[in-house]
Amino acid sequence: MVISASPVPFAEPVFVTRPIVPPMEEFVRELESVWRSGWFANGGAQHRTLEDALRNTLGARHLSLFNNGTIALTVACRALRLSGEVITTPFTFPATPHVLSWNNITPVFADIDPVTMTIDPTRIGELVTERTTGILGVHVYGMACDVDGIQKIAEEYGLRVLYDGAHSFGTEVDGRPVAQFGDATMFSFHATKLFHSAEGGALAVSDPLLKNRIDLLKNFGIKNENEVVMPGINGKMNEIQAALGLVVLRHVDAEREARGRLAKVYDERLGSLEGVSVFSLPGHVRSSMQYYVIRVDEKVAPVGRDRLYEKLREFNVFSRRYFHPLCSSLNCYRSHPSASPQNLPVANRIAGEVLALPFFGALGVEGANRVSDMIHHIFQNP
Ligand SMILES: *Cc1c(COP(=O)(O)O)cnc(C)c1O
């Protein structure tokens, strides 16, 4: 399609995501019951109801709510007794390796798969040492890790498997929810995520003893009035967060469907652009629809990724280069031998290609078409 006239910029800045904003009356109704109870924290009625609802929605055997995803992941490392070194991916949000650091664990970086952009299980074995205790995989954008490949290598070396599923609310592999794989999966309910409670998080596990340990760890290790059985932290979700979560949860399916319509527009409009690849999920994976990301190959496309990112800003479109910079290039991690670019050629290449586009229901099909027009225009007028 040839678009000659320059597209009209958006009147207001358009970001990659916009939280589900439910009708305020729905939230006020939940708050009224919080006010009547006078119970604001420590596992009240809202917390119990949300924990049950999310356990069902996420298909988890056991679920524990948290005040945010980072604390949930931090507690998971303790609960699984991870120590020494944990093998993880550089292609993630900095919280992933930071959580290991906060547990005095060295993050060891393995390269990613060029298609799924998640940790490549075939690169894990060569990084295992006698200090390695676990694997921390990250489900990226909505795609899932190679959960079977990771499980196999974990069993071979006797390692624990932990997943950062911050992007994967509703992601399924062969019809199975991601919450059912590995020893524990973290979910984030930050406002930028598909499902949110302003801030919040959860851990999904299959082992009931692990669930008990997690619940102690997130509440100072307090077992009862007389016993404090371990050095815990405060990871509890409060009643206001849980009330918001209950309201937002009613709108998640509609939001995911709306995002599905946008993905179709982008796939059709951008998939044929020279040097652009749209992300097509393998047939056995259902996406959470967290982000819509294109890859720009600057050797083929008329503009590189960074130029496209800059030019889109002129149209009031604030795309994001997730995940740039790579965690392995951060000052706090770059000195580890596994962080060298020679060890991570795929991750380093892909970090220079990816661009997340505006992807939220309120953008509408018309909005996605406008963004597509802008990208076509930029490609024709590089
Ligand atoms: C958002 C995010 C986190 C952090 O979750 P919070 O709830 O904000 O603490 C961790 N990992 C990834 C991949 C994320 O996208």
Side-chain angles (χ1 to χ4, degrees), residues 104-361:
N104 286 322
I105 296 166
T106 304
V108 174
F109 297 107
D111 207 0
I112 59 174
D113 179 274
V115 176
T116 67
M117 298 179 261
T118 59
I119 192 167
D120 180 350
T122 67
R123 302 295 310 278
I124 292 175
E126 67 205 56
L127 296 165
V128 173
T129 71
E130 70 278 0
R131 298 186 68 225
T132 311
T133 54
I135 300 167
L136 171 49
V138 180
H139 303 306
V140 170
Y141 307 143
M143 175 62 199
C145 294
D146 175 0
V147 288
D148 294 331
I150 290 171
Q151 193 57 40
K152 220 168 130 223
I153 194 102
E155 280 165 20
E156 190 179 335
Y157 292 96
L159 305 175
R160 296 292 219 159
V161 177
L162 175 56
Y163 286 110
D164 177 337
H167 290 188
S168 65
F169 192 94
T171 298
E172 292 179 357
V173 181
D174 288 321
R176 277 181 68 189
V178 282
Q180 296 179 5
F181 297 96
D183 294 294
T185 301
M186 175 276 266
F187 294 91
S188 165
F189 308 144
H190 186 263
T192 51
K193 311 300 199 255
L194 174 73
F195 166 76
H196 75 91
S197 53
E199 291 217 64
L203 286 179
V205 300
S206 299
D207 174 1
L209 296 177
L210 189 56
K211 154 81 175 163
N212 285 345
R213 198 169 146 73
I214 286 167
D215 285 344
L216 285 170
L217 282 168
K218 78 170 193 191
N219 188 32
F220 312 103
I222 296 175
K223 187 173 174 193
N224 56 45
E225 273 184 45
N226 297 312
E227 292 173 276
V228 181
V229 294
M230 56 184 79
I233 197 167
N234 182 0
K236 303 188 303 298
M237 177 183 277
N238 67 51
E239 290 292 280
I240 310 289
Q241 286 174 292
L244 179 58
L246 280 168
V247 175
V248 168
L249 190 56
R250 298 177 200 142
H251 300 272
V252 163
D253 287 344
E255 174 67 18
R256 189 185 282 110
E257 279 162 30
R259 291 185 186 193
R261 290 191 286 275
L262 305 186
K264 246 174 147 172
V265 171
Y266 284 140
D267 284 350
E268 279 166 19
R269 297 284 318 276
L270 305 177
S272 56
L273 271 177
E274 213 179 359
V276 170
S277 36
V278 298
F279 187 51
S280 54
L281 281 175
H284 68 291
V285 177
R286 179 183 99 136
S287 172
S288 63
M289 301 278 169
Q290 173 62 46
Y291 288 116
Y292 188 93
V293 174
I294 58 170
R295 280 162 65 177
V296 183
D297 181 352
E298 65 181 0
K299 290 195 290 294
V300 181
V303 288
R305 190 273 312 270
D306 289 338
R307 173 120 180 115
L308 177 59
Y309 162 83
E310 292 294 342
K311 295 290 275 184
L312 279 170
R313 293 167 77 105
E314 294 171 15
F315 292 98
N316 235 351
V317 172
F318 294 82
S319 59
R320 294 295 299 267
R321 295 167 290 182
Y322 291 145
F323 293 104
H324 158 92
L326 276 186
C327 290
S328 49
S329 71
L330 305 180
N331 272 334
C332 43
Y333 302 119
R334 63 193 305 171
S335 63
H336 193 272
S338 70
S340 82
Q342 292 92 294
N343 181 52
L344 306 166
V346 181
N348 277 277
R349 172 166 59 78
I350 288 178
E353 295 179 349
V354 281
L355 195 65
L357 300 179
F359 194 52
F360 50 90

